[in-house]
Amino acid sequence: MALRKEKERDMIPCDGLPARLPGTPKRILFHMGKELGMDTPFGGGKALAEGMNLSPRRGQEVASRLPRRMFMTDYGSGTPHGMTVFNGMLIFARGTGLFATDDGVTVRTLGSVSDTDKSFIIFGERLYMSPDKLYLERDAMPKPVELDTGVIPGAQFSGNTLRLPSGYNWTDLGFGVGDCVRVVNADDSEPAPEGYYRIVKLHAGTATMAQSFPSTYTSNARFLRTVPDLTACCVCGDRVYGIAGRSIHVSAAGSATDFYRRSTGDGSHAVTIAGGTEGNFTALSPWQGYVVFFKSDRICKLLGSRADSFTLQDRQGVGVPAALAKTLCAVGDAIYYASEGSVWRYRGQEPEWICSLGGISVTGGCGGTDGRAYYLSMD
């Protein structure tokens, strides 16, 4: 057994340590021999230290780390609903407020949100937040994902070009390149070509679409940007994957808002996949280049890179209850989660039992990682 300094990486023999190290009393008991996978016993036996800022690491060692510190004091009121880091800022939701800080001292109120737990994903240069359907850019001001222009008179559809009348600008309306625009008829005078069209180029009031319109029209129409009501989502490769009930929603390649445009001939389109067996999906996580989906008693893998060849492999196993969905976390070559009173590890086959939660009754929890270890907090 040895103690490793965080910076110098020098190995200090345990025999050279005093019986007690300064810090908050916390007894660390070590048992020598083969229980720890060691070939020979180590000196010092049971009384290594009562120390501060020590963490177990892989292998037979304890490593010192930098002391924890308080980043900021309690802020806001209500139930905490989630936090993430975006562009060097801590973004967090509490109660009905959304807040941001970069120093833990000055806190900005970004806006009002629903009083529900949040799911955050980063796609490109945007931070998306569910279930509120908001996104943040570098200015950290929330903007709506869903848009409705209302009726715009005299929109011109020709080839793969859509021109708005004078005074309208696509960017001012909130649309951008990569968005999927839903065209809806406003009246029956000259019907617009209803459907979903992806923007590939924008200039003022002119949008170039990925596909052509079936004919030439001048119509009164509404233009919408809509996304499914997702209970959870993640990013894998250049797509967003989400779950809603028994369905899996996959965005078109390269877009976080294109969930409805169908076959394009190159497999890059969006797709919705039925979950097959009974029960709603509860959680999902990217892993080993594809996405793993969980129900309370099933585990599903979505294989393939093209929307026209996705295959959902479904098998029974210890899944993730909805109340414990946030305990799911990918660490290294495995996915860890809490279920059925224990912690489990999934590595592509049958889930492996890791440890018991000690028989405690839990109503929720949250898991996370620093890139090396799995951390779990239970309610």
Side-chain angles (χ1 to χ4, degrees), residues 96-260:
T96 58
L98 184 66
F99 309 96
T101 180
D102 56 8
D103 58 8
V105 177
T106 304
V107 180
R108 290 188 292 149
T109 300
L110 301 181
S112 298
V113 293
S114 61
D115 197 359
T116 55
D117 287 350
K118 310 304 177 193
S119 176
F120 298 98
I121 61 168
I122 295 177
F123 192 91
E125 296 185 351
R126 290 179 175 179
L127 172 70
Y128 291 87
M129 183 176 66
S130 308
D132 298 77
K133 298 183 180 181
L134 297 174
Y135 72 90
L136 283 70
E137 295 180 302
R138 291 189 176 275
D139 60 3
M141 296 308 297
K143 301 177 180 66
V145 172
E146 295 194 318
L147 298 173
D148 185 345
T149 63
V151 177
I152 294 181
Q156 299 177 0
F157 304 82
S158 178
N160 66 340
T161 302
L162 170 54
R163 293 183 176 86
L164 302 180
S166 177
Y168 289 94
N169 185 300
W170 283 106
T171 303
D172 293 342
L173 292 171
F175 290 91
V177 172
D179 283 346
C180 180
V181 179
R182 180 187 176 191
V183 179
V184 178
N185 285 325
D187 55 51
D188 296 328
S189 57
E190 185 174 352
E194 290 193 329
Y196 294 90
Y197 302 87
R198 185 174 178 178
I199 299 174
V200 296
K201 184 178 179 181
L202 282 180
H203 177 69
T206 301
T208 302
M209 303 300 186
Q211 68 270 48
S212 297
F213 300 106
S215 186
T216 299
Y217 309 84
T218 299
S219 308
N220 301 332
R222 292 168 53 210
F223 302 97
L224 293 78
R225 183 174 67 196
T226 60
V227 294
D229 295 323
L230 303 176
T231 55
C233 54
C234 71
V235 175
C236 185
D238 60 353
R239 297 179 186 264
V240 175
Y241 296 75
I243 53 176
R246 293 174 58 187
S247 297
I248 296 171
H249 297 271
V250 186
S251 75
S255 176
T257 59
D258 184 352
F259 281 91
Y260 296 108

Side-chain angles (χ1 to χ4, degrees), residues 5 7 38 215 239 256 283 299 308 340 357 365:
K5 288 186 177 180
K7 294 183 179 179
M38 302 176 66
S215 186
R239 297 179 186 264
I299 302 174
D308 52 10
E340 299 184 358
L357 294 176

